[in-house]
């Protein structure tokens, strides 16, 4: 692939090839835009067995969803490069992204869909079981653990809300107070009213039997049987690539992590730069992330249409000016002057000529 050609020709570079990035690329390619997706191959949901709540794709393995998406984008002429973008910069009216492999790609517009990183509680075994039987989203995984004993690892005030949500899927929910601190009387009353047990003490490990979570171990030595453990990660947007454009992540209003601010279309406020998916919406599931990619693509195409139209108007005005003052126009003007003078002479020679009133 010729880097110079890429810099000169592309309409849009998409950084990140997850659900948001591929949906955006598909929409842009169908809009007859030249689009390149640069993807590092590190999807957030890789450990999960399936994507859930995505109409017509429920239960599909995350890798299979992305493979199918890449094929669809390529089918409309979009290109996908497996690489890691290290930086993005503006060069005149264009953007250039540099990659770990030493390549550079440029385009008129930039869309960043790099997602987020889940910062998990520091409990041995949690990271190894993440996305399998250590979970955080009941809408993604609740059906799969329905009616099973579910534990909730409390590391902050959001644990009570999480426990009340998971209670919708199972009557057997236990909150491990761990490092959450003291609950309010109202919170305790809510949990008690829903039959949710409270267990004091710090969790120090997980018990695994036959590659399945079977229980939680406490610092006291006690063991409590559970088949799933809900945790509350801190969500950190992967927004480093935007730093060269003056954009940084900010703390989310709910205190759950950091994100890149943007409007409903994904526009960041920096001309030519959009974001979509979890990098800007920390709570978005796969379907919502995909939809945000489409929204960003529609906004980007509209912006390019406006730019193309403005350029066409400017070219038309320049062409008209050239026609008005160019050699051809000058020759035509001379012919007109000569004709007018000849007509004037003829009028003098024929005094009987009268103009029409």
């Amino acid at each position: 692939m010729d880097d110079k050609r890429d810099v000169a020709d592309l309409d849009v570079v998409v950084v990140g090839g997850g659900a948001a990035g591929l949906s955006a690329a598909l929409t842009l390619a169908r809009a007859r835009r030249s689009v390149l997706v640069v993807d590092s191959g590190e999807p957030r949901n890789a450990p999960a067995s399936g994507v859930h709540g995505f109409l017509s794709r429920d239960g599909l393995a995350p890798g299979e969803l992305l493979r199918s998406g890449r094929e669809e984008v390529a089918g409309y002429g979009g290109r996908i490069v497996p690489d890691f973008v290290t930086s993005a910069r503006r060069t005149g009216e264009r953007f250039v992204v540099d990659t770990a492999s030493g390549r550079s790609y440029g385009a008129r517009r930039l869309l960043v869909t790099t997602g987020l990183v889940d910062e998990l509680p520091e409990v041995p075994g949690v990271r190894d079981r993440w996305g399998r039987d250590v979970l955080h989203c009941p809408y993604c995984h609740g059906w799969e653990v329905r009616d099973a004993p579910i534990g909730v690892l409390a590391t902050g005030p959001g644990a009570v809300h999480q426990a009340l949500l998971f209670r919708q899927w199972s009557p057997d929910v236990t909150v491990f107070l761990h490092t959450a601190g003291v609950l309010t009387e109202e919170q305790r009353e809510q949990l008690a009213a829903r039959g949710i047990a409270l267990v004091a003490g710090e969790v120090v490990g997980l018990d695994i039997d036959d590659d399945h979570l079977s229980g939680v171990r406490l610092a006291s030595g006690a063991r409590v049987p559970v088949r799933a453990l809900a945790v509350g990660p801190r969500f950190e947007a992967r927004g480093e690539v935007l730093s060269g454009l003056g954009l940084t992540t900010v703390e989310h209003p709910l205190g759950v992590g950091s994100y890149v601010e943007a409007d409903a279309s994904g526009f960041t406020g920096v001309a030519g730069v959009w974001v979509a998916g979890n990098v800007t919406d920390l709570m978005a599931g796969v379907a919502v992330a995909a939809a945000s990619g489409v929204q960003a693509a529609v906004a980007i195409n509209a912006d390019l249409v406006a730019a193309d139209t403005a350029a066409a108007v400017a070219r038309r005005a320049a062409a008209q000016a050239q026609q008005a003052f160019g050699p051809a126009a000058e020759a035509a003007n001379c012919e007109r002057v000569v004709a007018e003078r000849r007509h004037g002479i003829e009028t003098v020679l024929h005094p009987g000529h009268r103009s029409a009133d």
Side-chain angles (χ1 to χ4, degrees), residues 303-317:
D303 190 51
L304 287 169
V305 166
D308 293 342
T309 302
V313 169
R315 288 193 300 270
R316 177 179 170 82

Side-chain angles (χ1 to χ4, degrees), residues 105-305:
Y105 304 99
R108 301 166 64 193
R109 300 295 183 268
L110 177 66
L111 173 60
V112 174
T113 62
T114 44
L116 62 81
V117 174
D118 297 290
E119 291 189 351
L120 300 174
E122 293 293 335
V123 173
V126 164
R127 171 61 65 180
D128 294 338
R129 308 300 305 179
W130 178 238
R132 301 165 68 188
D133 36 31
V134 173
L135 320 164
H136 85 283
C137 173
Y139 300 102
C140 302
H141 305 287
W143 177 264
E144 283 64 45
V145 297
R146 64 193 184 280
D147 297 327
I150 301 172
V152 177
L153 185 67
T155 55
V160 171
H161 175 67
Q162 193 176 36
L164 292 171
L165 284 178
F166 271 98
R167 177 62 180 80
Q168 176 64 24
W169 281 265
S170 174
D172 188 353
V173 178
T174 300
V175 173
F176 297 95
L177 291 174
H178 192 53
T179 60
V182 180
L183 301 184
T184 66
E185 285 301 318
E186 180 183 12
Q187 288 174 324
R188 288 179 176 273
E189 181 62 25
Q190 289 175 336
L191 295 174
R194 294 292 282 156
I196 298 173
L198 286 174
V199 175
E202 187 172 348
V203 173
V204 295
L206 308 180
D207 286 337
I208 309 299
D209 292 325
D210 195 24
D211 198 29
H212 292 284
L213 177 65
S214 60
V216 165
R217 285 182 281 111
L218 303 173
S220 64
R223 179 186 179 279
V224 180
V226 295
R227 293 293 303 276
L229 182 65
V231 302
R234 178 175 170 80
F235 307 125
E236 294 290 351
R238 294 170 170 168
E240 299 86 354
V241 69
L242 291 166
S243 61
L245 300 169
L247 287 167
T248 59
T249 60
V250 297
E251 186 68 16
H252 194 277
L254 298 179
V256 294
S258 66
Y259 74 116
V260 178
E261 290 182 294
D263 68 11
S265 75
F267 179 57
T268 63
V270 173
V273 182
W274 274 259
V275 290
N278 286 139
V279 72
T280 186
D281 185 353
L282 302 181
M283 310 300 181
V286 174
V288 175
S292 74
V294 174
Q295 286 180 313
V298 169
I300 291 170
N301 185 60
D303 190 51
L304 287 169
V305 166

Side-chain angles (χ1 to χ4, degrees), residues 14-84:
V14 179
V15 183
L22 290 175
S23 294
L26 179 63
T27 303
L28 288 164
R30 283 177 53 81
R32 310 191 75 177
R33 295 294 180 184
S34 55
V35 58
L36 173 74
V37 180
V38 185
D39 181 50
S40 63
E42 300 173 325
R44 177 193 180 199
N45 62 355
S49 61
V51 172
H52 296 290
F54 198 151
L55 191 63
S56 82
R57 294 294 181 267
D58 188 76
L60 186 68
E64 180 61 20
L65 178 68
L66 298 183
R67 185 200 63 77
S68 177
R70 287 190 289 267
E71 287 185 355
E72 290 176 355
V73 171
Y76 287 99
R79 290 181 286 169
I80 299 165
V81 174
D83 209 339
F84 179 80

